[in-house]
Amino acid sequence: MFSVATATMDGVPVIRLVGEIDMSNAEAMRAEVMRGVASAQAGLVVDLTEVTFLASSGLSALVRAQTEAERHGVVLAVAAHSRAVLRPLEATGVDALLLIHATTADAVAALRTGSTT
């Protein structure tokens, strides 16, 4: 089961993904994140806290989203804390490309304060 929803938290757009991200739905994830990047004023949070599996296609979608965010001058932050998400991010080095926070609230707060390190 996979779902994606967009909301706003303290004025920051948040894209919340739930379930497994694999090649069957990575394109839907990428498209939603790209829409978020295109419409974001300055920052966007991708909430992966309820993702239970992250395949290479999902990693690729995150890298493309980060590249697009940089091109648009948007800071992309990721909320993730589970081993199912952090392990593939770390194993591939994608974690070095992204601003990762343990919670959505932490990611939002970092964007609101400009603390992106």
Side-chain angles (χ1 to χ4, degrees):
M1 178 75 123
F2 170 78
S3 68
V4 58
T6 303
T8 302
M9 178 185 264
D10 291 334
V12 176
V14 176
I15 298 174
R16 182 174 172 247
L17 302 158
V18 177
E20 297 183 356
I21 300 174
D22 57 28
M23 64 187 293
S24 71
N25 54 32
E27 181 57 31
M29 169 200 164
R30 187 198 64 76
E32 188 67 25
V33 173
M34 292 301 190
R35 277 191 290 277
V37 166
S39 65
Q41 299 282 325
L44 173 69
V45 173
V46 177
D47 179 356
L48 303 178
T49 59
E50 292 189 53
V51 168
T52 57
F53 178 76
L54 183 62
S56 60
S57 52
L59 292 168
S60 176
L62 285 171
V63 170
R64 287 184 286 165
Q66 175 61 32
T67 301
E68 190 70 8
E70 289 174 0
R71 194 170 77 75
H72 281 86
V74 172
V75 178
L76 182 71
V78 173
H81 56 74
S82 72
R83 182 171 172 79
V85 173
L86 293 176
R87 178 106 169 104
L89 289 172
E90 293 165 356
T92 58
V94 172
D95 64 324
L97 303 174
L98 303 171
L99 299 172
I100 301 174
H101 299 274
T103 69
T104 305
D106 289 346
V108 167
L111 292 180
R112 286 186 49 79
T113 64
S115 174
T116 57
T117 57

